[in-house]
Amino acid sequence: MNKEINTIIFDLGGVLVDWKPEYVYRKAFNGDEEKVQWFLNTICTPEWNMEQDAGRTIAEGEKSKIAEFPEYEELIKLFYKDWPKMLSGPIKENVELFKKLKLSEKYKIYALTNWSAETWEIAIKMFPFFNEFDGVVVSGKEKTRKPFEKIYNILLNKFNITPEKAVFIDDSLPNCITAKTLGIHTIHYTNHTDLTNKLQLLQIKF
């Protein structure tokens, strides 16, 4: 079987848009980085946020966390109240690359993202290019998230993707590991990754 890549799958936060809760809490804690990191590692943790990404409502997430830390109610509610301010903007060079790939019309291009269903509509308004994918799978809508195999299989089945003919780009190593176990080519994206070069090494042309 011809294994030439015909499908590119992008993660969004950390690959095409810059998202960091620190942007909100640095202001809340008057620039005290130690307090910011303590709060995000102890109270509004990545694990807590992932539950909303996996389908739990924001109201439920806030309720459970406020019950645990009632003295921080206002700061807990700030997470989603000021959520849009956690997005500083597109990662320009990667969005330009995405647009080049779209213009080439040689590949199907999808997004597979861990994202709360409730904040997704806000995100689309902030970043209209999210509508330019051939398809998007949003974890909050599917009630499951990366790195669990289920969400990858939802994407593969929904859009009839052959794993061996697809490449998946994500800034999370565990997410890439799951994709690789399913036979998908992977690029673990970091701030030091030359994404153009990595794609060219996979014989992707644009």
Side-chain angles (χ1 to χ4, degrees), residues 192-203:
H192 306 293
T193 302
D194 182 338
L195 200 48
T196 298
N197 178 253
K198 292 281 188 184
L199 289 170
Q200 286 172 338
L201 289 172
L202 290 167
Q203 310 301 311

Side-chain angles (χ1 to χ4, degrees), residues 45-56:
T45 63
E47 292 76 19
W48 172 76
N49 177 56
M50 282 181 193
E51 290 300 315
Q52 283 73 261
D53 285 352
R56 180 170 67 180

Side-chain angles (χ1 to χ4, degrees), residues 79 87 89 126 191:
F79 194 97
L87 292 150
M126 291 177 72
N191 292 335

Side-chain angles (χ1 to χ4, degrees), residues 25-39:
Y25 287 99
R26 279 174 188 148
K27 185 177 179 184
F29 288 110
N30 298 311
D32 188 327
E33 195 66 26
E34 195 174 323
K35 284 183 179 176
V36 171
Q37 294 307 320
W38 174 84
F39 185 83

Side-chain angles (χ1 to χ4, degrees), residues 37-98:
Q37 294 307 320
W38 174 84
F39 185 83
L40 294 175
N41 288 317
T42 309
I43 299 178
C44 288
T45 63
E47 292 76 19
W48 172 76
N49 177 56
M50 282 181 193
E51 290 300 315
Q52 283 73 261
D53 285 352
R56 180 170 67 180
T57 67
I58 290 169
E60 288 169 334
E62 287 178 344
K63 185 180 177 182
S64 70
K65 193 54 68 172
I66 290 164
E68 197 178 350
F69 298 99
E71 68 274 29
Y72 289 101
E73 179 173 353
E74 193 175 327
L75 285 166
I76 291 164
K77 287 185 172 177
L78 188 66
F79 194 97
Y80 286 104
K81 178 176 172 283
D82 277 3
W83 177 86
K85 294 176 183 175
M86 295 179 185
L87 292 150
S88 74
I91 299 173
K92 289 180 182 175
E93 63 272 23
N94 293 349
V95 175
E96 285 171 11
L97 181 59
F98 159 75

